[in-house]
Amino acid sequence: RALIRCTAEIAMQRGDLDSAIKLYVRVEDFRQVVRLLNRELGKHLLPSLSQDGQMPPPRDKLKQLANNFCHQHLKEHANRREALRHEATTLESLLNLMTFFDLCYQRKWEKAIRHLHQLELLPSEPRELVSFSSRYSANRNPNSDEALRRNLH
C-alpha cells in the first residue's frame, strides 16, 4: 500500500493525474482522489476556448474523469459517499458549475439558467437569500471546499 501511495504521489508531481487517481483508487484512498479532483477542477472551472471554438481536451478529459469517478465510486456506494460528504459535495458542485459555464460559453442561455436553478446554488428571489446562506454555512467544511471558495469569492 505504501509503495502504491508513493507511486501515486510521484505521478502527481509529474502531472499525471490519471495514473495518480488509478493508484489511489487501487489502495481505496477515495478521499485523496476527491481532493485531487477538486483541486484540478477548481483550476479549470471556467472553459477557455481553443482557436476552433471547442473546449480544450485536457479540461474535457478532467471533467470526464471526475464524472466517471463519481458514478463508479460515489453514487453506487452510499457509505463511501457519506464518509466523504463534504468533499463529494464540493466535487459535485464543481462539476455542475463546469456544466453551467460550458452552457454559457456555448451561448445556451436558457439551458444555463435552468441548470443553475436546478442546482439551487443561488436564490432565485431575494426572500430566499437567508435560507440559502444558512444552508451553505451549515454544510460548509472549510477544509474541503477551498476550490469552490477560490472560484466563487
Side-chain angles (χ1 to χ4, degrees):
R1 277 178 100 80
L3 181 60
I4 293 174
R5 283 181 204 274
C6 183
T7 306
E9 290 172 20
I10 291 170
M12 273 310 298
Q13 290 170 359
R14 292 184 178 165
D16 187 358
L17 183 66
D18 282 341
S19 295
I21 286 176
K22 288 176 186 170
L23 291 165
Y24 282 123
V25 166
R26 188 169 181 185
V27 295
E28 298 184 359
D29 190 349
F30 301 108
R31 187 173 307 278
Q32 185 62 21
V33 172
V34 173
R35 286 179 181 155
L36 289 174
L37 287 170
N38 284 347
R39 187 183 73 207
E40 294 303 311
L41 288 172
K43 290 178 188 176
H44 301 283
L45 188 60
L46 292 173
S48 57
L49 300 179
S50 61
Q51 297 293 342
D52 60 1
Q54 299 297 313
M55 299 294 168
R59 183 178 182 277
D60 286 344
K61 186 176 181 181
L62 176 61
K63 187 176 176 184
Q64 187 62 45
L65 184 66
N67 275 317
N68 288 344
F69 175 79
C70 283
H71 290 294
Q72 293 171 3
H73 300 286
L74 295 180
K75 294 189 189 294
E76 300 293 321
H77 303 277
N79 292 341
R80 190 178 299 153
R81 171 80 175 84
E82 183 55 32
L84 299 171
R85 185 171 67 111
H86 291 294
E87 291 93 344
T89 299
T90 298
L91 177 60
E92 291 166 352
S93 295
L94 286 167
L95 285 168
N96 283 320
L97 284 170
M98 285 180 97
T99 299
F100 167 74
F101 289 123
D102 289 348
L103 291 167
C104 288
Y105 272 77
Q106 295 164 8
R107 300 184 185 277
K108 296 180 179 177
W109 309 116
E110 297 279 328
K111 283 179 110 173
I113 297 298
R114 265 195 317 272
H115 183 71
L116 193 59
H117 285 297
Q118 289 171 347
L119 298 177
E120 296 181 345
L121 290 175
L122 299 172
S124 57
E125 297 181 28
R127 69 173 187 253
E128 297 174 344
L129 189 59
V130 172
S131 65
F132 269 77
S133 177
S134 299
R135 187 177 66 198
Y136 176 76
S137 296
N139 292 321
R140 193 171 155 265
N141 179 345
N143 298 319
S144 68
D145 62 3
E146 176 60 29
L148 276 176
R149 191 170 42 257
R150 181 178 54 240
N151 283 287
L152 297 178
H153 289 156

